[in-house]
Amino acid sequence: MSQPQAVQSPERPRTRRIGTAIFAVLAAAVIGVASFFSIQSASGGTDVRGNLTLIAPAAAGGGWDTFQRELQQAMRTNGLVNNVQVVNVPGAGGTIGVGVLSQQPEANNLMVGGSGQITAQIQFDTPSRIQDVTPVAKVLEEYDIVAVPADSPFESMDDIIAAWTQDPRGVAWTGGGSFDQLVMTDIALDAGIPVADTTYIPSDGGGEAIQALLNGTADVTAGGFADIYPQVESGRLRVLGVVAEERLSGTPEIEAIPTLVEQGIDVTITNWRALFAPPSATDEEIDQLQELVAETVATPEWQATVERNYWREAPLQDEEFGQYIQDETDRIATLFEEMGQ
């Protein structure tokens, strides 16, 4: 098997101060976790099946952390790895974790990553980029849904677009992170609404975005399905559409949610999750990691996790995965250009 060729990220002007600050944080993070990896290697060896470290490039409790801890549990329960640990390396939209992984000399380290890190590296011109590490396998996709308060006058996406077109600043959007703002940007572009004229209220996570809707600060959100849909089930929010190529499977209520494409809005951008290895990994080691990932995602425990979190399996690897990363990088860079960032 040949490894995917390195994907070049587009160059974007950024302030030197931001890049330098992030680099300083990266250096501190590398020093802080270096001893952990050394101890792990010394105590358990470096064989992929004997001793594996799963890197979550975020603090405990978030989507990346949940992914890695569920993966760890599936591996442990089914005896796929002798010793598997999760290490949190938060900071800079996941790019601190990229920097840490890129310096690991052994292949028995797997970091979860995806569109969030590409977003961060473009937005902040970070010194560490997803292209610095080796793609192993794309595993799944997580979808945004567009939702409004239950008592909102907006009954459909047509209502949103009509009001937004008439007054771009008058319809306030919110979301739990940079990816959600990209979704709003993509919708605006498809509808012919100048992105620079729109109103977006950033929130620190899905919970804060929900509060912004409920207290009237924002009118509409594009947010992660797992964050927003429970509020739809409780009757506090109303869902208008899912940002996916086709309807999601699940309960009759979930299957009834129309895609934006069905409603004439050609937006399908997804928040995907994938696993990456250090650049030091050989072709043989990448094959071993891909085999381990395939066995893990086939377990009943992992399948239950996918269903519980409203995820959707979307496997991809090798050259196709490398091209996918390139396409996503170009696509996200274009959206940031439209946002004027």
Side-chain angles (χ1 to χ4, degrees):
M1 184 213 74
S2 60
Q3 296 181 21
Q5 295 185 351
V7 181
Q8 297 300 313
S9 178
E11 294 294 327
R12 293 178 56 80
R14 289 287 179 270
T15 64
R16 192 176 189 85
R17 182 170 55 186
I18 292 176
T20 301
I22 291 176
F23 182 79
V25 175
L26 169 60
V30 171
I31 293 171
V33 301
S35 59
F36 171 85
F37 287 103
S38 297
I39 292 171
Q40 283 292 95
S41 296
S43 62
T46 60
D47 177 70
V48 168
R49 298 278 183 165
N51 188 40
L52 182 68
T53 297
L54 300 175
I55 300 174
W64 282 329
D65 179 68
T66 298
F67 180 101
Q68 292 292 57
R69 294 190 187 278
E70 295 286 2
L71 202 70
Q72 176 193 42
Q73 187 61 35
M75 290 178 177
R76 282 180 172 174
T77 301
N78 293 275
L80 301 180
V81 177
N82 183 48
N83 179 42
V84 54
Q85 300 294 328
V86 175
V87 178
N88 293 90
V89 186
T95 61
I96 300 296
V98 173
V100 168
L101 182 67
S102 69
Q103 298 191 35
Q104 297 310 308
E106 306 294 346
N108 61 333
N109 298 283
L110 274 177
M111 180 195 73
V112 62
S115 51
Q117 284 151 324
I118 295 176
T119 299
Q121 72 188 37
I122 293 172
Q123 185 174 16
F124 302 117
D125 193 24
T126 59
S128 296
R129 299 174 178 240
I130 205 75
Q131 289 80 10
D132 297 337
V133 294
T134 302
V136 174
K138 178 170 176 262
V139 179
L140 55 82
E141 293 177 340
E142 192 172 32
Y143 299 105
D144 266 20
I145 53 177
V146 177
V148 296
D151 60 355
S152 170
F154 301 129
E155 299 283 347
S156 67
M157 288 303 302
D158 284 344
D159 290 344
I160 293 281
I161 298 303
W164 209 14
T165 300
Q166 184 175 0
D167 183 6
R169 297 187 190 278
V171 178
W173 288 70
T174 189
S178 297
F179 177 80
D180 298 332
Q181 187 173 5
L182 292 182
V183 173
M184 183 218 73
T185 299
D186 215 0
I187 295 172
L189 290 174
D190 186 79
I193 297 169
V195 178
D197 294 342
T198 61
T199 298
Y200 183 83
I201 302 169
S203 298
D204 187 13
E208 189 173 301
I210 291 167
Q211 287 305 310
L213 286 178
L214 296 178
N215 65 25
T217 302
D219 302 302
V220 57
T221 186
F225 200 103
D227 288 333
I228 304 299
Y229 192 68
Q231 301 300 319
V232 174
E233 291 181 304
S234 72
R236 302 173 78 190
L237 300 180
R238 184 169 68 250
V239 60
L240 302 183
V242 59
V243 187
E245 292 185 355
E246 56 187 34
R247 293 194 184 197
L248 305 186
S249 59
T251 64
E253 291 77 15
I254 290 176
E255 293 177 354
I257 301 173
T259 66
L260 297 194
V261 174
E262 287 180 63
Q263 302 176 71
I265 303 169
D266 188 17
V267 174
T268 58
I269 187 170
T270 63
N271 195 1
W272 49 275
R273 300 277 187 267
L275 290 163
F276 297 82
S280 59
T282 65
D283 286 353
E284 181 180 359
E285 289 168 331
I286 295 299
D287 284 340
Q288 293 171 0
L289 288 168
Q290 289 178 338
E291 182 179 353
L292 174 60
V293 171
E295 291 179 17
T296 304
V297 300
T299 64
E301 290 76 15
W302 181 258
Q303 292 297 311
T305 294
V306 170
E307 182 177 354
R308 183 170 61 253
N309 288 283
Y310 306 102
W311 293 338
R312 182 172 181 175
E313 293 177 296
L316 199 64
Q317 62 188 42
D318 301 333
E319 288 80 7
E320 288 183 327
F321 185 26
Q323 184 59 53
Y324 180 84
I325 293 173
Q326 174 68 74
D327 294 343
E328 285 291 282
T329 302
D330 293 343
R331 181 181 188 180
I332 293 172
T334 298
L335 292 175
F336 268 104
E337 288 174 0
E338 293 291 343
M339 290 160 58
Q341 298 187 26

